[in-house]
């Protein structure tokens, strides 16, 4: 009996040790991608062709750049959550592609690679005030008491400078389509107005599935705010894969190009 218990204990310790090793490896991988995203963002800050749309709580720059000069406006936002670094790198790789190819695109694209630069630098979901920007938008669904610490909605709707910057960008450009990049669900979440043919193509190219329900409430989210607007905006929440992995950037760019070149008339 003693021998049996000893074997069980050893197996248990081996499982715990493996789990600890796997999670520390995952943590290191995630940390490396965050560092890469910060470094890429710093390079953009030195590039004068990028506009400063505003500043975060910690006075980090929120950058923006337009590509193309015809058609409707498409807004692509990365880094709403600071612990989703591939949402930032994907937006920057798309921008790099468009530097050379903007003459051929059918709609104008506005790229905000990182709405939450404080969160990215801190390696956490929330902003410099520990508020979840995607619960801080002044939508009809905003809830003061929605207070899981990582989903802190803030003391008031749009209390955060980053949220205000996003609203100003939406007001200025009145986009027909907003794509927000997130992680880690490896799925596309289109709203009801999103054209099926477009979503299916984007899913085919990216390899990400299509889903219509994220499975939990998102009061005060950018998506719910967008849906409240008088002008019609189509929205896609583009969830890249796990946070400790980088996606196939070529597939991500090609799938986003489908949305950029879509005929919205
Ligand atoms: Zn997110």
């Amino acid at each position: 009996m003693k021998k049996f218990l000893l074997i069980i204990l050893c197996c248990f310790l081996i499982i715990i040790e493996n789990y600890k090793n796997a999670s520390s490896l995952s943590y290191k991988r995630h940390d490396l991608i965050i560092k890469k995203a910060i470094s890429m963002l710093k390079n953009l800050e030195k590039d004068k062709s990028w506009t400063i749309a505003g500043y975060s709580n910690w006075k980090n720059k929120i950058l923006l750049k337009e590509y193309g000069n015809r058609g409707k406006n498409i807004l692509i936002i990365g880094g709403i959550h600071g612990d989703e670094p591939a949402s930032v790198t994907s937006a920057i790789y798309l921008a790099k592609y468009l530097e050379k190819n903007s003459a051929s695109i059918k709609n104008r694209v506005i790229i905000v690679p990182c709405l939450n630069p404080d969160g990215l630098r801190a390696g956490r979901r929330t902003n410099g005030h520990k508020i979840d920007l995607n619960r801080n938008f002044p939508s009809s669904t905003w809830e003061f008491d929605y207070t899981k610490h990582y989903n802190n909605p803030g003391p008031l709707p749009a209390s955060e400078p980053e949220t205000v910057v996003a609203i100003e960008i939406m007001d200025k450009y009145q986009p027909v389509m907003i794509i927000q990049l997130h992680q880690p669900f490896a799925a596309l979440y289109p709203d009801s107005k999103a054209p099926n043919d477009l979503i299916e193509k984007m899913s085919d190219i990216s390899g990400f599935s299509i889903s219509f329900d994220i499975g939990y409430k998102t009061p005060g989210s950018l998506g719910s705010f967008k849906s409240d607007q008088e002008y019609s905006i189509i929205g896609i929440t583009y969830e890249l894969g796990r946070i400790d992995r980088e996606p196939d950037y070529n597939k991500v760019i090609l799938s986003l190009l489908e949305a950029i070149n879509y005929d919205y008339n």
Side-chain angles (χ1 to χ4, degrees):
M1 184 64 183
K2 266 188 188 170
K3 207 171 173 184
F4 176 71
L5 285 174
L6 199 61
I7 291 168
I8 296 283
L9 182 64
C10 284
C11 289
F12 181 69
L13 289 174
I14 289 167
I15 289 168
I16 293 278
E17 196 53 33
N18 282 344
Y19 176 76
K20 271 163 57 186
N21 287 343
S23 68
S24 112
L25 190 63
S26 166
Y27 177 82
K28 277 182 196 153
R29 279 205 203 106
H30 183 212
D31 198 44
L32 278 176
I33 307 168
I34 288 175
K35 288 195 169 89
K36 174 177 173 174
I38 293 171
S39 159
M40 288 174 81
L41 207 53
K42 279 186 179 162
N43 285 336
L44 297 193
E45 287 172 4
K46 292 180 213 148
D47 178 346
K48 296 279 183 281
S49 69
W50 283 79
T51 302
I52 301 168
Y55 289 87
S56 66
N57 274 301
W58 294 347
K59 306 295 174 228
N60 285 308
K61 293 169 185 165
I62 298 171
L63 299 173
L64 171 150
K65 192 161 174 178
E66 297 173 33
Y67 295 93
N69 53 15
R70 58 184 171 146
K72 312 273 187 184
N73 289 341
I74 315 294
L75 175 59
I76 298 180
I77 305 181
I80 294 170
H81 292 136
D83 59 351
E84 298 167 7
S87 72
V88 178
T89 52
S90 293
I92 297 176
Y93 281 124
L94 173 67
K96 283 179 189 289
Y97 172 88
L98 292 171
E99 296 290 345
K100 294 177 190 152
N101 298 285
S102 65
S104 61
I105 57 175
K106 291 183 184 161
N107 292 294
R108 184 180 295 106
V109 191
I110 298 98
I111 297 183
V112 178
C114 187
L115 187 66
N116 181 9
D118 299 353
L120 180 69
R121 279 160 173 84
R124 69 175 185 229
R125 177 182 177 92
T126 51
N127 75 347
H129 279 160
K130 298 193 174 173
I131 288 163
D132 182 350
L133 298 180
N134 213 26
R135 299 293 178 274
N136 186 241
F137 279 83
S139 73
S140 53
T141 62
W142 185 84
E143 286 179 20
F144 175 70
D145 56 358
Y146 194 77
T147 49
K148 282 184 219 161
H149 69 278
Y150 54 87
N151 285 133
N152 183 345
L156 288 166
S159 58
E160 302 311 295
E162 299 90 345
T163 310
V164 173
V165 169
I167 295 168
E168 285 171 354
I169 293 169
M170 289 166 70
D171 283 346
K172 178 177 175 188
Y173 289 101
Q174 308 232 336
V176 290
M177 161 71 91
I178 298 179
I179 299 176
Q180 33 171 328
L181 301 170
H182 288 270
Q183 290 179 274
F185 296 125
L188 306 177
Y189 296 85
D191 69 19
S192 57
K193 293 183 208 155
N196 283 335
D197 56 339
L198 170 62
I199 299 303
E200 277 163 18
K201 257 189 189 166
M202 290 176 75
S203 170
D204 283 348
I205 295 169
S206 64
F208 297 135
S209 57
I210 302 170
S211 180
F212 292 93
D213 182 8
I214 206 146
Y216 49 83
K217 285 202 311 176
T218 57
S221 65
L222 170 56
S224 61
F225 175 69
K226 171 201 72 56
S227 299
D228 287 350
Q229 299 304 295
E230 286 172 18
Y231 45 91
S232 172
I233 311 177
I234 298 165
I236 301 172
T237 300
Y238 191 120
E239 286 271 350
L240 299 148
R242 9 186 322 185
I243 56 169
D244 62 347
R245 296 279 194 283
E246 289 184 85
D248 181 329
Y249 290 113
N250 283 333
K251 287 184 180 176
V252 172
I253 290 170
L254 287 173
S255 65
L256 290 172
L257 281 171
E258 289 294 329
I260 290 168
N261 288 319
Y262 193 77
D263 182 0
Y264 293 96
N265 291 317

